[in-house]
Amino acid sequence: MWKNILTSFSLVFLAELGDKTQLSTMLLASKSKSAIPVFIGSASALILSSLLGVIGGVIVQKYIPQQFIHIGAGISFIVIGILLIFGKS
């Protein structure tokens, strides 16, 4: 259990550093009189999007074999990487 928690935390934490969501949150906090509401709103949004990801993962794995999910995820990351390299994102 702890391995899954630490792995999930690490991956999400590193993926979110410096992305558009974090930059948007920084901008909102800089314009706000209080950072607490911005923190609560952004943290709630991340929790909800993570919940949707977990629910989606549970549903998908019931109908699609894990090997196909891994292959699909790998292909998706390669395509996204190619698009980023050529400036298509």
PDB file of all heavy atoms in Angstrom, residues 29-68:
ATOM      1  N   ALA A  29      -2.810  33.286  -7.315  1.00  0.00           N
ATOM      2  CA  ALA A  29      -2.382  33.634  -5.953  1.00  0.00           C
ATOM      3  C   ALA A  29      -1.772  35.032  -5.907  1.00  0.00           C
ATOM      4  O   ALA A  29      -1.966  35.770  -4.937  1.00  0.00           O
ATOM      5  CB  ALA A  29      -1.389  32.605  -5.434  1.00  0.00           C
ATOM      6  N   SER A  30      -1.056  35.397  -6.955  1.00  0.00           N
ATOM      7  CA  SER A  30      -0.434  36.726  -6.968  1.00  0.00           C
ATOM      8  C   SER A  30      -1.470  37.836  -7.091  1.00  0.00           C
ATOM      9  O   SER A  30      -1.240  38.951  -6.641  1.00  0.00           O
ATOM     10  CB  SER A  30       0.596  36.826  -8.090  1.00  0.00           C
ATOM     11  OG  SER A  30      -0.050  36.876  -9.351  1.00  0.00           O
ATOM     12  N   LYS A  31      -2.615  37.530  -7.699  1.00  0.00           N
ATOM     13  CA  LYS A  31      -3.671  38.537  -7.875  1.00  0.00           C
ATOM     14  C   LYS A  31      -4.677  38.540  -6.725  1.00  0.00           C
ATOM     15  O   LYS A  31      -5.481  39.455  -6.614  1.00  0.00           O
ATOM     16  CB  LYS A  31      -4.415  38.283  -9.183  1.00  0.00           C
ATOM     17  CG  LYS A  31      -3.586  38.559 -10.408  1.00  0.00           C
ATOM     18  CD  LYS A  31      -4.415  38.359 -11.659  1.00  0.00           C
ATOM     19  CE  LYS A  31      -3.621  38.759 -12.882  1.00  0.00           C
ATOM     20  NZ  LYS A  31      -4.440  38.680 -14.096  1.00  0.00           N
ATOM     21  N   SER A  32      -4.625  37.525  -5.886  1.00  0.00           N
ATOM     22  CA  SER A  32      -5.605  37.379  -4.818  1.00  0.00           C
ATOM     23  C   SER A  32      -5.147  38.102  -3.549  1.00  0.00           C
ATOM     24  O   SER A  32      -3.947  38.209  -3.279  1.00  0.00           O
ATOM     25  CB  SER A  32      -5.811  35.890  -4.514  1.00  0.00           C
ATOM     26  OG  SER A  32      -6.692  35.717  -3.437  1.00  0.00           O
ATOM     27  N   LYS A  33      -6.109  38.561  -2.773  1.00  0.00           N
ATOM     28  CA  LYS A  33      -5.785  39.185  -1.489  1.00  0.00           C
ATOM     29  C   LYS A  33      -5.378  38.129  -0.465  1.00  0.00           C
ATOM     30  O   LYS A  33      -4.637  38.403   0.461  1.00  0.00           O
ATOM     31  CB  LYS A  33      -6.981  39.978  -0.965  1.00  0.00           C
ATOM     32  CG  LYS A  33      -7.303  41.189  -1.791  1.00  0.00           C
ATOM     33  CD  LYS A  33      -8.496  41.926  -1.251  1.00  0.00           C
ATOM     34  CE  LYS A  33      -8.832  43.098  -2.155  1.00  0.00           C
ATOM     35  NZ  LYS A  33     -10.041  43.780  -1.749  1.00  0.00           N
ATOM     36  N   SER A  34      -5.893  36.909  -0.627  1.00  0.00           N
ATOM     37  CA  SER A  34      -5.566  35.811   0.277  1.00  0.00           C
ATOM     38  C   SER A  34      -5.238  34.566  -0.539  1.00  0.00           C
ATOM     39  O   SER A  34      -5.985  34.198  -1.452  1.00  0.00           O
ATOM     40  CB  SER A  34      -6.751  35.523   1.202  1.00  0.00           C
ATOM     41  OG  SER A  34      -6.496  34.377   1.983  1.00  0.00           O
ATOM     42  N   ALA A  35      -4.159  33.917  -0.202  1.00  0.00           N
ATOM     43  CA  ALA A  35      -3.745  32.724  -0.936  1.00  0.00           C
ATOM     44  C   ALA A  35      -4.524  31.474  -0.514  1.00  0.00           C
ATOM     45  O   ALA A  35      -4.557  30.491  -1.251  1.00  0.00           O
ATOM     46  CB  ALA A  35      -2.251  32.488  -0.730  1.00  0.00           C
ATOM     47  N   ILE A  36      -5.163  31.514   0.640  1.00  0.00           N
ATOM     48  CA  ILE A  36      -5.876  30.333   1.154  1.00  0.00           C
ATOM     49  C   ILE A  36      -6.980  29.863   0.206  1.00  0.00           C
ATOM     50  O   ILE A  36      -7.040  28.685  -0.124  1.00  0.00           O
ATOM     51  CB  ILE A  36      -6.427  30.593   2.576  1.00  0.00           C
ATOM     52  CG1 ILE A  36      -5.292  30.922   3.550  1.00  0.00           C
ATOM     53  CG2 ILE A  36      -7.262  29.425   3.070  1.00  0.00           C
ATOM     54  CD1 ILE A  36      -4.322  29.793   3.792  1.00  0.00           C
ATOM     55  N   PRO A  37      -7.867  30.759  -0.272  1.00  0.00           N
ATOM     56  CA  PRO A  37      -8.905  30.291  -1.200  1.00  0.00           C
ATOM     57  C   PRO A  37      -8.328  29.717  -2.498  1.00  0.00           C
ATOM     58  O   PRO A  37      -8.858  28.746  -3.049  1.00  0.00           O
ATOM     59  CB  PRO A  37      -9.736  31.541  -1.489  1.00  0.00           C
ATOM     60  CG  PRO A  37      -9.491  32.451  -0.350  1.00  0.00           C
ATOM     61  CD  PRO A  37      -8.084  32.164   0.096  1.00  0.00           C
ATOM     62  N   VAL A  38      -7.240  30.301  -2.976  1.00  0.00           N
ATOM     63  CA  VAL A  38      -6.594  29.787  -4.190  1.00  0.00           C
ATOM     64  C   VAL A  38      -6.052  28.387  -3.929  1.00  0.00           C
ATOM     65  O   VAL A  38      -6.224  27.473  -4.738  1.00  0.00           O
ATOM     66  CB  VAL A  38      -5.471  30.729  -4.667  1.00  0.00           C
ATOM     67  CG1 VAL A  38      -4.740  30.139  -5.861  1.00  0.00           C
ATOM     68  CG2 VAL A  38      -6.032  32.108  -4.992  1.00  0.00           C
ATOM     69  N   PHE A  39      -5.413  28.197  -2.770  1.00  0.00           N
ATOM     70  CA  PHE A  39      -4.897  26.881  -2.410  1.00  0.00           C
ATOM     71  C   PHE A  39      -6.027  25.858  -2.302  1.00  0.00           C
ATOM     72  O   PHE A  39      -5.936  24.760  -2.853  1.00  0.00           O
ATOM     73  CB  PHE A  39      -4.124  26.934  -1.090  1.00  0.00           C
ATOM     74  CG  PHE A  39      -3.746  25.574  -0.584  1.00  0.00           C
ATOM     75  CD1 PHE A  39      -2.728  24.858  -1.187  1.00  0.00           C
ATOM     76  CD2 PHE A  39      -4.442  24.998   0.463  1.00  0.00           C
ATOM     77  CE1 PHE A  39      -2.385  23.587  -0.735  1.00  0.00           C
ATOM     78  CE2 PHE A  39      -4.119  23.737   0.917  1.00  0.00           C
ATOM     79  CZ  PHE A  39      -3.079  23.026   0.318  1.00  0.00           C
ATOM     80  N   ILE A  40      -7.096  26.217  -1.617  1.00  0.00           N
ATOM     81  CA  ILE A  40      -8.226  25.291  -1.442  1.00  0.00           C
ATOM     82  C   ILE A  40      -8.834  24.929  -2.794  1.00  0.00           C
ATOM     83  O   ILE A  40      -9.113  23.757  -3.077  1.00  0.00           O
ATOM     84  CB  ILE A  40      -9.281  25.892  -0.488  1.00  0.00           C
ATOM     85  CG1 ILE A  40      -8.715  25.969   0.935  1.00  0.00           C
ATOM     86  CG2 ILE A  40     -10.571  25.075  -0.510  1.00  0.00           C
ATOM     87  CD1 ILE A  40      -9.573  26.755   1.906  1.00  0.00           C
ATOM     88  N   GLY A  41      -9.029  25.926  -3.656  1.00  0.00           N
ATOM     89  CA  GLY A  41      -9.601  25.667  -4.970  1.00  0.00           C
ATOM     90  C   GLY A  41      -8.715  24.797  -5.836  1.00  0.00           C
ATOM     91  O   GLY A  41      -9.175  23.828  -6.452  1.00  0.00           O
ATOM     92  N   SER A  42      -7.418  25.105  -5.878  1.00  0.00           N
ATOM     93  CA  SER A  42      -6.517  24.326  -6.734  1.00  0.00           C
ATOM     94  C   SER A  42      -6.295  22.921  -6.181  1.00  0.00           C
ATOM     95  O   SER A  42      -6.234  21.951  -6.940  1.00  0.00           O
ATOM     96  CB  SER A  42      -5.187  25.052  -6.922  1.00  0.00           C
ATOM     97  OG  SER A  42      -4.497  25.172  -5.706  1.00  0.00           O
ATOM     98  N   ALA A  43      -6.201  22.792  -4.866  1.00  0.00           N
ATOM     99  CA  ALA A  43      -6.040  21.468  -4.259  1.00  0.00           C
ATOM    100  C   ALA A  43      -7.288  20.614  -4.490  1.00  0.00           C
ATOM    101  O   ALA A  43      -7.190  19.417  -4.811  1.00  0.00           O
ATOM    102  CB  ALA A  43      -5.751  21.593  -2.765  1.00  0.00           C
ATOM    103  N   SER A  44      -8.461  21.226  -4.374  1.00  0.00           N
ATOM    104  CA  SER A  44      -9.716  20.503  -4.612  1.00  0.00           C
ATOM    105  C   SER A  44      -9.810  20.039  -6.066  1.00  0.00           C
ATOM    106  O   SER A  44     -10.250  18.925  -6.349  1.00  0.00           O
ATOM    107  CB  SER A  44     -10.914  21.387  -4.282  1.00  0.00           C
ATOM    108  OG  SER A  44     -10.900  21.758  -2.932  1.00  0.00           O
ATOM    109  N   ALA A  45      -9.391  20.898  -6.986  1.00  0.00           N
ATOM    110  CA  ALA A  45      -9.413  20.533  -8.407  1.00  0.00           C
ATOM    111  C   ALA A  45      -8.478  19.359  -8.685  1.00  0.00           C
ATOM    112  O   ALA A  45      -8.832  18.434  -9.435  1.00  0.00           O
ATOM    113  CB  ALA A  45      -9.028  21.738  -9.259  1.00  0.00           C
ATOM    114  N   LEU A  46      -7.287  19.368  -8.085  1.00  0.00           N
ATOM    115  CA  LEU A  46      -6.342  18.265  -8.286  1.00  0.00           C
ATOM    116  C   LEU A  46      -6.887  16.975  -7.691  1.00  0.00           C
ATOM    117  O   LEU A  46      -6.762  15.898  -8.289  1.00  0.00           O
ATOM    118  CB  LEU A  46      -4.981  18.605  -7.679  1.00  0.00           C
ATOM    119  CG  LEU A  46      -3.877  17.569  -7.893  1.00  0.00           C
ATOM    120  CD1 LEU A  46      -3.647  17.290  -9.374  1.00  0.00           C
ATOM    121  CD2 LEU A  46      -2.592  18.028  -7.244  1.00  0.00           C
ATOM    122  N   ILE A  47      -7.515  17.067  -6.532  1.00  0.00           N
ATOM    123  CA  ILE A  47      -8.114  15.887  -5.904  1.00  0.00           C
ATOM    124  C   ILE A  47      -9.222  15.322  -6.783  1.00  0.00           C
ATOM    125  O   ILE A  47      -9.275  14.111  -7.034  1.00  0.00           O
ATOM    126  CB  ILE A  47      -8.643  16.221  -4.496  1.00  0.00           C
ATOM    127  CG1 ILE A  47      -7.474  16.456  -3.541  1.00  0.00           C
ATOM    128  CG2 ILE A  47      -9.565  15.121  -3.973  1.00  0.00           C
ATOM    129  CD1 ILE A  47      -7.868  17.048  -2.196  1.00  0.00           C
ATOM    130  N   LEU A  48     -10.094  16.198  -7.309  1.00  0.00           N
ATOM    131  CA  LEU A  48     -11.194  15.735  -8.151  1.00  0.00           C
ATOM    132  C   LEU A  48     -10.688  15.127  -9.451  1.00  0.00           C
ATOM    133  O   LEU A  48     -11.161  14.069  -9.876  1.00  0.00           O
ATOM    134  CB  LEU A  48     -12.166  16.880  -8.451  1.00  0.00           C
ATOM    135  CG  LEU A  48     -13.382  16.516  -9.297  1.00  0.00           C
ATOM    136  CD1 LEU A  48     -14.206  15.414  -8.634  1.00  0.00           C
ATOM    137  CD2 LEU A  48     -14.242  17.738  -9.545  1.00  0.00           C
ATOM    138  N   SER A  49      -9.703  15.759 -10.082  1.00  0.00           N
ATOM    139  CA  SER A  49      -9.178  15.204 -11.331  1.00  0.00           C
ATOM    140  C   SER A  49      -8.469  13.873 -11.073  1.00  0.00           C
ATOM    141  O   SER A  49      -8.545  12.949 -11.893  1.00  0.00           O
ATOM    142  CB  SER A  49      -8.257  16.194 -12.033  1.00  0.00           C
ATOM    143  OG  SER A  49      -7.089  16.424 -11.299  1.00  0.00           O
ATOM    144  N   SER A  50      -7.811  13.735  -9.935  1.00  0.00           N
ATOM    145  CA  SER A  50      -7.180  12.463  -9.577  1.00  0.00           C
ATOM    146  C   SER A  50      -8.236  11.390  -9.332  1.00  0.00           C
ATOM    147  O   SER A  50      -8.072  10.237  -9.748  1.00  0.00           O
ATOM    148  CB  SER A  50      -6.310  12.621  -8.339  1.00  0.00           C
ATOM    149  OG  SER A  50      -5.244  13.492  -8.589  1.00  0.00           O
ATOM    150  N   LEU A  51      -9.321  11.763  -8.668  1.00  0.00           N
ATOM    151  CA  LEU A  51     -10.419  10.822  -8.434  1.00  0.00           C
ATOM    152  C   LEU A  51     -10.998  10.326  -9.755  1.00  0.00           C
ATOM    153  O   LEU A  51     -11.230   9.122  -9.932  1.00  0.00           O
ATOM    154  CB  LEU A  51     -11.513  11.464  -7.583  1.00  0.00           C
ATOM    155  CG  LEU A  51     -12.766  10.616  -7.346  1.00  0.00           C
ATOM    156  CD1 LEU A  51     -12.433   9.361  -6.542  1.00  0.00           C
ATOM    157  CD2 LEU A  51     -13.843  11.441  -6.647  1.00  0.00           C
ATOM    158  N   LEU A  52     -11.215  11.237 -10.695  1.00  0.00           N
ATOM    159  CA  LEU A  52     -11.727  10.836 -12.001  1.00  0.00           C
ATOM    160  C   LEU A  52     -10.744   9.904 -12.719  1.00  0.00           C
ATOM    161  O   LEU A  52     -11.153   8.938 -13.376  1.00  0.00           O
ATOM    162  CB  LEU A  52     -12.013  12.066 -12.863  1.00  0.00           C
ATOM    163  CG  LEU A  52     -13.156  12.959 -12.395  1.00  0.00           C
ATOM    164  CD1 LEU A  52     -13.247  14.213 -13.255  1.00  0.00           C
ATOM    165  CD2 LEU A  52     -14.472  12.197 -12.404  1.00  0.00           C
ATOM    166  N   GLY A  53      -9.446  10.173 -12.585  1.00  0.00           N
ATOM    167  CA  GLY A  53      -8.434   9.306 -13.182  1.00  0.00           C
ATOM    168  C   GLY A  53      -8.450   7.907 -12.587  1.00  0.00           C
ATOM    169  O   GLY A  53      -8.353   6.909 -13.299  1.00  0.00           O
ATOM    170  N   VAL A  54      -8.594   7.829 -11.266  1.00  0.00           N
ATOM    171  CA  VAL A  54      -8.643   6.528 -10.591  1.00  0.00           C
ATOM    172  C   VAL A  54      -9.900   5.766 -11.009  1.00  0.00           C
ATOM    173  O   VAL A  54      -9.841   4.576 -11.342  1.00  0.00           O
ATOM    174  CB  VAL A  54      -8.577   6.697  -9.060  1.00  0.00           C
ATOM    175  CG1 VAL A  54      -8.898   5.397  -8.350  1.00  0.00           C
ATOM    176  CG2 VAL A  54      -7.204   7.203  -8.647  1.00  0.00           C
ATOM    177  N   ILE A  55     -11.042   6.441 -11.010  1.00  0.00           N
ATOM    178  CA  ILE A  55     -12.293   5.782 -11.409  1.00  0.00           C
ATOM    179  C   ILE A  55     -12.197   5.308 -12.855  1.00  0.00           C
ATOM    180  O   ILE A  55     -12.570   4.173 -13.179  1.00  0.00           O
ATOM    181  CB  ILE A  55     -13.496   6.731 -11.211  1.00  0.00           C
ATOM    182  CG1 ILE A  55     -13.744   6.948  -9.722  1.00  0.00           C
ATOM    183  CG2 ILE A  55     -14.748   6.182 -11.890  1.00  0.00           C
ATOM    184  CD1 ILE A  55     -14.741   8.058  -9.410  1.00  0.00           C
ATOM    185  N   GLY A  56     -11.671   6.164 -13.722  1.00  0.00           N
ATOM    186  CA  GLY A  56     -11.495   5.771 -15.124  1.00  0.00           C
ATOM    187  C   GLY A  56     -10.568   4.571 -15.262  1.00  0.00           C
ATOM    188  O   GLY A  56     -10.839   3.654 -16.038  1.00  0.00           O
ATOM    189  N   GLY A  57      -9.482   4.563 -14.497  1.00  0.00           N
ATOM    190  CA  GLY A  57      -8.547   3.442 -14.542  1.00  0.00           C
ATOM    191  C   GLY A  57      -9.171   2.139 -14.091  1.00  0.00           C
ATOM    192  O   GLY A  57      -8.951   1.082 -14.680  1.00  0.00           O
ATOM    193  N   VAL A  58      -9.973   2.208 -13.042  1.00  0.00           N
ATOM    194  CA  VAL A  58     -10.651   1.009 -12.534  1.00  0.00           C
ATOM    195  C   VAL A  58     -11.634   0.473 -13.579  1.00  0.00           C
ATOM    196  O   VAL A  58     -11.699  -0.731 -13.830  1.00  0.00           O
ATOM    197  CB  VAL A  58     -11.378   1.320 -11.201  1.00  0.00           C
ATOM    198  CG1 VAL A  58     -12.310   0.196 -10.799  1.00  0.00           C
ATOM    199  CG2 VAL A  58     -10.360   1.575 -10.100  1.00  0.00           C
ATOM    200  N   ILE A  59     -12.381   1.369 -14.218  1.00  0.00           N
ATOM    201  CA  ILE A  59     -13.349   0.940 -15.233  1.00  0.00           C
ATOM    202  C   ILE A  59     -12.647   0.364 -16.452  1.00  0.00           C
ATOM    203  O   ILE A  59     -13.015  -0.698 -16.955  1.00  0.00           O
ATOM    204  CB  ILE A  59     -14.272   2.117 -15.619  1.00  0.00           C
ATOM    205  CG1 ILE A  59     -15.175   2.481 -14.445  1.00  0.00           C
ATOM    206  CG2 ILE A  59     -15.100   1.780 -16.855  1.00  0.00           C
ATOM    207  CD1 ILE A  59     -15.956   3.771 -14.630  1.00  0.00           C
ATOM    208  N   VAL A  60     -11.613   1.057 -16.928  1.00  0.00           N
ATOM    209  CA  VAL A  60     -10.898   0.609 -18.124  1.00  0.00           C
ATOM    210  C   VAL A  60     -10.273  -0.760 -17.909  1.00  0.00           C
ATOM    211  O   VAL A  60     -10.354  -1.632 -18.777  1.00  0.00           O
ATOM    212  CB  VAL A  60      -9.836   1.653 -18.536  1.00  0.00           C
ATOM    213  CG1 VAL A  60      -8.854   1.082 -19.538  1.00  0.00           C
ATOM    214  CG2 VAL A  60     -10.501   2.890 -19.113  1.00  0.00           C
ATOM    215  N   GLN A  61      -9.659  -0.981 -16.745  1.00  0.00           N
ATOM    216  CA  GLN A  61      -8.971  -2.248 -16.516  1.00  0.00           C
ATOM    217  C   GLN A  61      -9.925  -3.431 -16.430  1.00  0.00           C
ATOM    218  O   GLN A  61      -9.515  -4.570 -16.577  1.00  0.00           O
ATOM    219  CB  GLN A  61      -8.064  -2.169 -15.295  1.00  0.00           C
ATOM    220  CG  GLN A  61      -8.790  -2.090 -13.970  1.00  0.00           C
ATOM    221  CD  GLN A  61      -8.904  -3.436 -13.269  1.00  0.00           C
ATOM    222  OE1 GLN A  61      -8.195  -4.083 -13.307  1.00  0.00           O
ATOM    223  NE2 GLN A  61      -9.835  -3.868 -12.630  1.00  0.00           N
ATOM    224  N   LYS A  62     -11.218  -3.177 -16.195  1.00  0.00           N
ATOM    225  CA  LYS A  62     -12.201  -4.257 -16.177  1.00  0.00           C
ATOM    226  C   LYS A  62     -12.486  -4.783 -17.575  1.00  0.00           C
ATOM    227  O   LYS A  62     -12.872  -5.927 -17.750  1.00  0.00           O
ATOM    228  CB  LYS A  62     -13.513  -3.792 -15.549  1.00  0.00           C
ATOM    229  CG  LYS A  62     -13.451  -3.628 -14.054  1.00  0.00           C
ATOM    230  CD  LYS A  62     -14.805  -3.239 -13.499  1.00  0.00           C
ATOM    231  CE  LYS A  62     -14.729  -3.117 -11.990  1.00  0.00           C
ATOM    232  NZ  LYS A  62     -16.017  -2.753 -11.399  1.00  0.00           N
ATOM    233  N   TYR A  63     -12.313  -3.932 -18.599  1.00  0.00           N
ATOM    234  CA  TYR A  63     -12.706  -4.290 -19.955  1.00  0.00           C
ATOM    235  C   TYR A  63     -11.536  -4.463 -20.918  1.00  0.00           C
ATOM    236  O   TYR A  63     -11.690  -5.079 -21.965  1.00  0.00           O
ATOM    237  CB  TYR A  63     -13.663  -3.231 -20.516  1.00  0.00           C
ATOM    238  CG  TYR A  63     -14.924  -3.099 -19.687  1.00  0.00           C
ATOM    239  CD1 TYR A  63     -15.103  -2.020 -18.831  1.00  0.00           C
ATOM    240  CD2 TYR A  63     -15.913  -4.065 -19.745  1.00  0.00           C
ATOM    241  CE1 TYR A  63     -16.244  -1.907 -18.059  1.00  0.00           C
ATOM    242  CE2 TYR A  63     -17.056  -3.966 -18.975  1.00  0.00           C
ATOM    243  CZ  TYR A  63     -17.221  -2.878 -18.140  1.00  0.00           C
ATOM    244  OH  TYR A  63     -18.350  -2.780 -17.382  1.00  0.00           O
ATOM    245  N   ILE A  64     -10.387  -3.904 -20.584  1.00  0.00           N
ATOM    246  CA  ILE A  64      -9.229  -3.972 -21.471  1.00  0.00           C
ATOM    247  C   ILE A  64      -8.077  -4.624 -20.720  1.00  0.00           C
ATOM    248  O   ILE A  64      -7.735  -4.209 -19.613  1.00  0.00           O
ATOM    249  CB  ILE A  64      -8.821  -2.556 -21.942  1.00  0.00           C
ATOM    250  CG1 ILE A  64      -9.992  -1.899 -22.694  1.00  0.00           C
ATOM    251  CG2 ILE A  64      -7.584  -2.608 -22.819  1.00  0.00           C
ATOM    252  CD1 ILE A  64      -9.745  -0.459 -23.074  1.00  0.00           C
ATOM    253  N   PRO A  65      -7.441  -5.640 -21.329  1.00  0.00           N
ATOM    254  CA  PRO A  65      -6.299  -6.295 -20.667  1.00  0.00           C
ATOM    255  C   PRO A  65      -5.166  -5.304 -20.388  1.00  0.00           C
ATOM    256  O   PRO A  65      -4.932  -4.365 -21.158  1.00  0.00           O
ATOM    257  CB  PRO A  65      -5.854  -7.349 -21.681  1.00  0.00           C
ATOM    258  CG  PRO A  65      -7.034  -7.575 -22.556  1.00  0.00           C
ATOM    259  CD  PRO A  65      -7.777  -6.272 -22.595  1.00  0.00           C
ATOM    260  N   GLN A  66      -4.471  -5.517 -19.277  1.00  0.00           N
ATOM    261  CA  GLN A  66      -3.419  -4.603 -18.825  1.00  0.00           C
ATOM    262  C   GLN A  66      -2.334  -4.416 -19.885  1.00  0.00           C
ATOM    263  O   GLN A  66      -1.802  -3.329 -20.057  1.00  0.00           O
ATOM    264  CB  GLN A  66      -2.809  -5.095 -17.519  1.00  0.00           C
ATOM    265  CG  GLN A  66      -1.897  -4.088 -16.869  1.00  0.00           C
ATOM    266  CD  GLN A  66      -1.434  -4.527 -15.494  1.00  0.00           C
ATOM    267  OE1 GLN A  66      -1.473  -5.702 -15.160  1.00  0.00           O
ATOM    268  NE2 GLN A  66      -0.997  -3.576 -14.700  1.00  0.00           N
ATOM    269  N   GLN A  67      -2.010  -5.465 -20.617  1.00  0.00           N
ATOM    270  CA  GLN A  67      -0.972  -5.368 -21.646  1.00  0.00           C
ATOM    271  C   GLN A  67      -1.360  -4.333 -22.707  1.00  0.00           C
ATOM    272  O   GLN A  67      -0.536  -3.537 -23.141  1.00  0.00           O
ATOM    273  CB  GLN A  67      -0.734  -6.724 -22.300  1.00  0.00           C
ATOM    274  CG  GLN A  67       0.346  -6.684 -23.366  1.00  0.00           C
ATOM    275  CD  GLN A  67       0.555  -8.036 -24.010  1.00  0.00           C
ATOM    276  OE1 GLN A  67      -0.138  -8.987 -23.725  1.00  0.00           O
ATOM    277  NE2 GLN A  67       1.527  -8.109 -24.905  1.00  0.00           N
ATOM    278  N   PHE A  68      -2.624  -4.308 -23.115  1.00  0.00           N
ATOM    279  CA  PHE A  68      -3.080  -3.342 -24.114  1.00  0.00           C
ATOM    280  C   PHE A  68      -3.070  -1.920 -23.550  1.00  0.00           C
ATOM    281  O   PHE A  68      -2.789  -0.961 -24.269  1.00  0.00           O
ATOM    282  CB  PHE A  68      -4.474  -3.698 -24.623  1.00  0.00           C
ATOM    283  CG  PHE A  68      -4.530  -4.953 -25.441  1.00  0.00           C
ATOM    284  CD1 PHE A  68      -5.656  -5.745 -25.404  1.00  0.00           C
ATOM    285  CD2 PHE A  68      -3.477  -5.352 -26.240  1.00  0.00           C
ATOM    286  CE1 PHE A  68      -5.727  -6.911 -26.154  1.00  0.00           C
ATOM    287  CE2 PHE A  68      -3.530  -6.507 -26.993  1.00  0.00           C
ATOM    288  CZ  PHE A  68      -4.662  -7.289 -26.955  1.00  0.00           C
TER     289      PHE A  68
END
